[in-house]
C-alpha cells in the first residue's frame, strides 16, 4: 500500500495514522510518500485532490480521512478479491 501525502491540512496526520493502524491489523506494509512540490504532485497523485491519497493493489481506496474501522473493512474486502 502507498500513502501519498502533503501536509497542507491538519487532518493528514490523523488520516495517515488511521490507515497505518488498519494496515497493521491486516499485516499490510505501507510506503509513505511525502509530496514536496507541485510538480511531484502532478506526476504522482492519482487524483486532483493531492493532499492525501491511498493506493492499494493499483486502486485508489481513499483521498480523504477514514476511520480505522472503515479502512479495515475496505482493505479486508480487497484482500478477499481474486487477483
Amino acid at each position: 500500500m502507498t500513502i501519498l501525502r502533503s501536509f497542507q491540512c491538519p487532518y493528514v496526520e490523523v488520516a495517515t495514522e488511521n490507515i497505518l493502524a488498519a494496515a497493521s491489523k491486516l499485516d499490510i506494509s505501507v510506503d509513505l510518500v511525502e509530496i514536496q512540490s507541485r510538480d511531484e504532485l502532478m506526476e504522482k497523485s492519482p487524483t486532483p485532490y493531492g493532499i492525501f491519497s491511498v493506493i492499494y493493489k493499483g486502486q485508489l481506496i481513499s483521498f480523504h480521512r477514514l476511520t480505522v474501522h472503515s479502512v479495515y473493512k475496505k482493505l479486508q474486502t480487497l484482500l478477499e478479491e481474486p487477483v
Side-chain angles (χ1 to χ4, degrees):
M1 178 180 331
T2 303
I3 299 174
L4 301 167
R5 64 186 189 170
S6 172
F7 284 101
Q8 297 175 358
C9 170
Y11 295 105
V12 168
E13 189 61 35
V14 172
T16 300
E17 289 171 4
N18 290 350
I19 300 293
L20 293 173
S24 176
K25 288 181 179 184
L26 293 166
D27 199 30
I28 296 173
S29 63
V30 178
D31 293 320
L32 289 174
V33 177
E34 306 289 346
I35 301 294
Q36 301 295 325
S37 69
R38 178 188 178 277
D39 291 337
E40 187 177 12
L41 171 72
M42 298 293 287
E43 177 187 331
K44 294 180 179 178
S45 182
T47 173
Y49 307 103
I51 293 173
F52 183 76
S53 299
V54 182
I55 299 114
Y56 185 63
K57 289 189 170 184
Q59 295 181 29
L60 175 68
I61 64 166
S62 183
F63 60 88
H64 56 82
R65 186 176 70 124
L66 299 171
T67 65
V68 174
H69 181 71
S70 62
V71 174
Y72 182 85
K73 283 176 45 178
K74 187 174 274 201
L75 290 174
Q76 250 188 337
T77 300
L78 290 172
L79 286 170
E80 293 168 0
E81 289 181 359
V83 177

